[in-house]
Amino acid sequence: MSKKGTVLVSGGAGFIGTHTTVALVEAGYDVVMIDNFSNSGPSAVEGVEKILGRKVTFEEVDTCDEKALRGVFERHQFDTVIHFAAYKAVGESVADPLKYYRNNLVSYMNILKLMKEFKRPNVLFSSSATVYGDAETLPVTEQTPRQEATSPYGNTKQIAEDILRDCCKAYPGFYGIALRYFNPIGAHPSALIGELPRGVPNNLVPFITQTAAGIRECLSIFGNDYNTPDGTCLRDYIDIVDLAKAHVAAVDRMVSGKMETKYEIFNVGTGKPVSVLELVTRFEKANGVKVPHKIVGRRAGDVPAVWADTTLANEKLGWKAERDLDDTLRAAWAWEQNLHKK
Ligand code: UFG
């Protein structure tokens, strides 16, 4: 066992899970990855192993299956869990709320119940900037009031944050950190792991890369009549490798007993707003490719602008986003191209 300890990563084969596993192992942690491959596949685990040059511990387990998950707790010693396993398509959650509440909350309750029962102290939950909704003041700090969720997906993030807060308050020896991600994009510089959307991508960058690759004819930009400098929405696009490192910093903080309260929340973003149009143009320039695009109507549920105040993460986690946006967009394109070589 590594001196630093072992981390259970649920949803380990996903976009954030794979990059975080790489970052944890590179930082000296042992990792147990679990995933049910509902939105990923074995090639994601193979990509992680290729980058690391060694095998990782992986089990195909559905976190909603308490019995199977219990087996993982019985077989492996770990102090910390990073819980990524969840569905994440906003529109689908509106169409089928029960699917989202069941999957995202049952899996989470199973994890928390077993952490308590097996006396494993540290839970890191992957939350989202979605909890801020259409914030009145920007950038948002962790103190910015949450807004009522506009989708069942968003609501599962709010409920899960509250459950963690309450567990930390009630149970001795139980610690929690919620990381609120802004818009994770990009891919590992090796182009061996990245985002693998199924079907038509909902998110902007996978749609851009697929359009550049000729898989999609044209990118639709949802609205240019927002009250922003160029009329398109502003977001805080965080490089996936930087995001993965934020998890390492949060785990370091937990295992070294540096938490100041039993439950802590951190924004994970760059602190820099970028418009949709600007992102498309930057992608085209950085990669020397064209992304045919047109302006269409607004997408329901989009907020005009949200970006992070990252002071707390900078100071308390000693973490800061470092990657240059052009490098991130080059990595996203390299990953897309690599997919078509296979
Ligand atoms: N956009 C387009 N065209 C597309 C896709 C997106 O113009 O084809 C725009 C959106 O309107 C938005 C921006 O690109 O202005 C970013 O959209 P994404 O779907 O990539 O990201 P969101 O900001 O909507 O969503 C992200 C996360 C969600 C989270 C949400 C709210 O992906 O998990 O933030 O914080 F819930």
Side-chain angles (χ1 to χ4, degrees):
M1 215 170 92
S2 142
K3 256 195 260 160
K4 275 195 135 178
T6 303
V7 181
L8 177 71
V9 179
S10 82
F15 178 40
I16 309 179
T18 46
H19 290 82
T20 300
T21 298
V22 168
L24 285 166
V25 173
E26 284 175 345
Y29 288 96
D30 284 331
V31 172
V32 176
M33 290 169 99
I34 56 172
D35 205 294
N36 66 353
F37 290 144
S38 67
N39 195 24
S40 59
S43 64
V45 182
E46 287 160 21
V48 168
E49 291 179 335
K50 269 192 205 146
I51 293 169
L52 295 172
R54 60 155 140 141
K55 287 268 167 210
V56 290
T57 307
F58 175 82
E59 294 195 21
E60 190 173 339
V61 168
D62 185 343
T63 40
C64 285
D65 180 345
E66 190 186 330
K67 198 164 158 248
L69 189 59
R70 177 176 293 277
V72 174
F73 277 73
E74 285 165 351
R75 282 188 294 281
H76 302 283
Q77 266 302 330
F78 48 84
D79 290 333
T80 306
V81 62
I82 305 182
H83 182 58
F84 293 116
Y87 294 152
K88 59 170 190 175
V90 177
E92 189 189 31
S93 81
V94 175
D96 194 353
L98 279 181
K99 179 176 171 181
Y100 272 66
Y101 285 116
R102 189 188 167 281
N103 183 69
N104 292 7
L105 296 177
V106 170
S107 63
Y108 185 57
M109 298 293 286
N110 285 341
I111 292 266
L112 294 176
K113 180 182 169 198
L114 291 165
M115 290 299 280
K116 175 170 179 281
E117 190 183 320
F118 282 75
K119 297 194 166 43
R120 312 282 170 89
N122 306 321
V123 176
L124 205 165
F125 175 66
S126 69
S127 191
S128 164
T130 194
V131 301
Y132 296 115
D134 190 4
E136 275 169 24
T137 52
L138 290 166
V140 291
T141 74
E142 292 77 358
Q143 306 303 322
T144 301
R146 298 184 321 189
Q147 306 269 343
E148 198 180 330
T150 54
S151 73
Y153 158 78
N155 206 20
T156 64
K157 294 294 178 196
Q158 298 210 3
I159 293 168
E161 283 191 354
D162 293 346
I163 292 173
L164 189 54
R165 177 201 61 204
D166 293 346
C167 288
C168 292
K169 203 189 224 176
Y171 306 134
F174 203 100
Y175 297 85
I177 290 183
L179 296 183
R180 289 178 177 161
Y181 315 142
F182 284 70
N183 289 58
I185 62 164
H188 193 269
S190 65
L192 290 167
I193 52 174
E195 203 167 357
L196 253 187
R198 292 216 166 144
V200 182
N202 294 306
N203 296 117
L204 181 60
V205 169
F207 208 107
I208 289 177
T209 58
Q210 289 194 6
T211 307
I215 298 165
R216 312 277 158 210
E217 255 176 41
C218 186
L219 166 76
S220 294
I221 293 182
F222 300 132
N224 68 346
D225 56 353
Y226 287 97
N227 185 19
T228 59
D230 67 14
T232 65
C233 293
L234 297 173
R235 293 289 183 276
D236 183 336
Y237 295 96
I238 172 80
D239 182 275
I240 188 69
V241 175
D242 278 338
L243 178 66
K245 288 182 183 162
H247 292 80
V248 177
V251 173
D252 284 345
R253 184 171 171 85
M254 294 182 119
V255 301
S256 60
K258 289 203 181 115
M259 289 179 69
E260 289 163 30
T261 52
K262 290 190 74 198
Y263 172 60
E264 296 179 338
I265 301 171
F266 297 101
N267 283 343
V268 185
T270 64
K272 293 183 202 124
V274 173
S275 81
V276 176
L277 211 48
E278 196 184 337
L279 197 78
V280 174
T281 312
R282 288 279 289 264
F283 181 91
E284 291 185 321
K285 276 207 190 117
N287 291 302
V289 285
K290 282 277 161 225
V291 179
H293 54 275
K294 61 177 182 212
I295 307 290
V296 300
R298 293 181 176 194
R299 181 171 72 176
D302 275 342
V303 300
V306 63
W307 69 94
D309 181 324
T310 61
T311 310
L312 200 65
N314 300 158
E315 286 176 2
K316 304 283 180 192
L317 295 180
W319 168 90
K320 197 166 164 288
E322 283 168 349
R323 293 260 291 167
D324 172 71
L325 180 60
D326 292 327
D327 287 339
T328 303
L329 295 173
R330 280 191 274 268
W333 179 228
W335 161 248
E336 179 73 45
Q337 287 174 300
N338 208 19
L339 282 176
H340 307 300
K341 275 191 213 140
K342 287 173 189 166

